[in-house]
């Protein structure tokens, strides 16, 4: 189940040129006529925090991009255990053209808005629109690189490095989406609870809380409440994550 988007938000997003993810989304390289064709098959959906967007194996009649908000990808094993396997941030793509069902459970972590495309018309448009197919390929390869880097995080990094790595991913994406330089102060609201961070990073809740407190005490982050994070020096955060200034993680 999903909710009709409030009219004020819908009106704000109708013009693709004003879309906050326009420069990073699957339509980033589309020409005006291509955007017009996409507009004919698009619609918006909004979800509340905690709501399931799609269950693993469930048929999907749409694909789309997150415009606002955060979602998680998770997989449930036969014995009922669930593992979070990925984060979806604004501009990330949901769904797989050419595949009937969903590969993972997709759950809204925060209230979110998706720009959706009817799946069959989108697949047909991909076949005749190189700009869309090329951009989707780039996004898929970026996702593959990020997944390989995440294997390093989970397998080899210390608890402190894991926390710093996750913060750097979110901080870099925030800076990219808002077209801010990464050498400037970055401020964002952490989209995950500490319990969710523990699940995602393979740590205990106590370890996550202890490491966040240590990063705060050492001045690597400034924390207001439990979620409002300021990164005064992004290079220092990368040092704590064990990454160099070139990234390690894709933005």
């Amino acid at each position: 189940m999903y909710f009709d988007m409030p009219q004020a938000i819908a009106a704000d997003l109708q013009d693709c040129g004003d879309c906050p993810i326009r420069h990073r989304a699957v339509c980033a390289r589309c020409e005006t006529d291509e955007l017009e064709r996409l507009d004919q098959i698009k619609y918006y959906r909004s979800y509340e925090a905690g709501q399931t967007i799609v269950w693993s194996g469930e048929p999907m009649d749409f694909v789309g991009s997150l415009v606002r908000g955060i979602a998680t990808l998770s997989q449930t094993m036969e014995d009922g255990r669930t593992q979070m396997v990925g984060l979806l941030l604004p501009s990330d793509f949901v769904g797989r053209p050419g595949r009937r069902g969903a590969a993972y459970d997709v759950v809204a972590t925060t209230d979110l808005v998706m720009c959706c495309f009817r799946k069959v018309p989108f697949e047909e448009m991909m076949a005749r629109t190189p700009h869309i197919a090329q951009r989707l390929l780039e996004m898929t390869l970026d996702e593959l690189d990020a997944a390989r880097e995440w294997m390093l995080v989970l397998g080899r990094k210390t608890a402190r490095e894991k926390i710093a790595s996750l913060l750097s991913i979110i901080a870099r994406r925030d800076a990219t989406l808002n077209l801010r330089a990464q050498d400037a102060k970055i401020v964002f609201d952490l989209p995950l609870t500490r319990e969710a961070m523990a699940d995602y990073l393979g740590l205990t809740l106590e370890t996550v809380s202890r490491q966040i407190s240590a990063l705060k005490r050492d001045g690597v982050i400034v924390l207001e409440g439990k979620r409002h994070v300021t990164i005064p020096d992004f290079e220092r955060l990368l040092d704590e994550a064990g990454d160099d200034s070139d990234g390690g993680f894709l933005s």
Side-chain angles (χ1 to χ4, degrees):
M1 179 180 178
Y2 62 93
F3 295 90
D4 291 334
M5 196 165 52
Q7 290 186 352
I9 299 178
D12 181 43
L13 294 174
Q14 286 304 314
D15 187 350
C16 289
D18 296 329
C19 178
I21 63 167
R22 173 73 173 87
H23 58 294
R24 286 188 51 86
V26 69
C27 56
R29 297 185 177 181
C30 288
E31 305 291 347
T32 301
D33 60 326
E34 295 166 341
L35 287 175
E36 290 174 352
R37 291 200 297 273
L38 277 176
D39 190 59
Q40 296 173 4
I41 63 172
K42 85 175 182 184
Y43 56 96
Y44 294 101
R45 286 181 173 177
S46 61
Y47 298 85
E48 294 182 339
Q51 189 176 4
T52 299
I53 298 171
V54 64
W55 294 104
S56 174
E58 185 177 80
M60 288 187 66
D61 61 358
F62 70 95
V63 295
S65 298
L66 269 67
V67 179
R68 295 172 180 165
I70 309 291
T72 60
L73 296 173
S74 60
Q75 194 162 33
T76 302
M77 293 177 282
E78 290 184 1
D79 61 4
R81 287 178 294 169
T82 300
Q83 176 63 51
M84 189 190 307
V85 297
L87 279 178
L88 293 172
L89 304 174
S91 79
D92 284 339
F93 195 75
V94 179
R96 182 79 63 84
R99 176 179 287 179
R100 181 173 179 270
Y104 303 101
D105 298 336
V106 184
V107 180
T109 302
T110 65
D111 292 348
L112 65 81
V113 175
M114 282 187 62
C115 177
C116 302
F117 304 101
R118 290 184 286 119
K119 192 170 186 179
V120 172
F122 182 83
E123 291 171 342
E124 293 172 349
M125 191 167 175
M126 272 187 64
R128 62 176 186 268
T129 310
H131 288 153
I132 294 176
Q134 182 181 14
R135 178 58 184 150
L136 188 57
L137 174 61
E138 290 174 352
M139 294 171 73
T140 302
L141 293 175
D142 284 350
E143 184 180 342
L144 177 60
D145 285 343
R148 288 169 172 166
E149 289 289 347
W150 198 246
M151 291 174 63
L152 172 63
V153 172
L154 297 181
R156 294 296 180 183
K157 291 194 175 184
T158 66
R160 183 180 176 102
E161 288 173 335
K162 287 180 179 181
I163 296 294
S165 294
L166 180 58
L167 293 175
S168 72
I169 293 171
I170 298 171
R172 182 179 281 113
R173 178 64 64 87
D174 181 87
T176 303
L177 284 172
N178 292 289
L179 301 178
R180 290 196 296 261
Q182 291 179 11
D183 56 359
K185 180 173 68 174
I186 301 176
V187 182
F188 60 90
D189 288 322
L190 191 62
L192 297 174
T193 65
R194 295 190 182 188
E195 291 86 350
M197 291 175 67
D199 179 31
Y200 191 37
L201 295 168
L203 302 171
T204 65
L205 173 59
E206 293 75 14
T207 298
V208 170
S209 296
R210 185 166 58 249
Q211 294 301 329
I212 289 177
S213 296
L215 290 171
K216 177 182 177 182
R217 182 183 62 247
D218 295 342
V220 180
I221 64 173
V222 177
L223 193 62
E224 297 178 27
K226 291 187 176 181
R227 299 279 189 102
H228 194 67
V229 180
T230 299
I231 309 297
D233 184 346
F234 189 68
E235 292 297 325
R236 185 178 178 193
L237 179 65
L238 288 181
D239 288 341
E240 292 290 347
D243 299 323
D244 60 28
S245 60
D246 290 333
F249 288 100
L250 299 174
S251 60

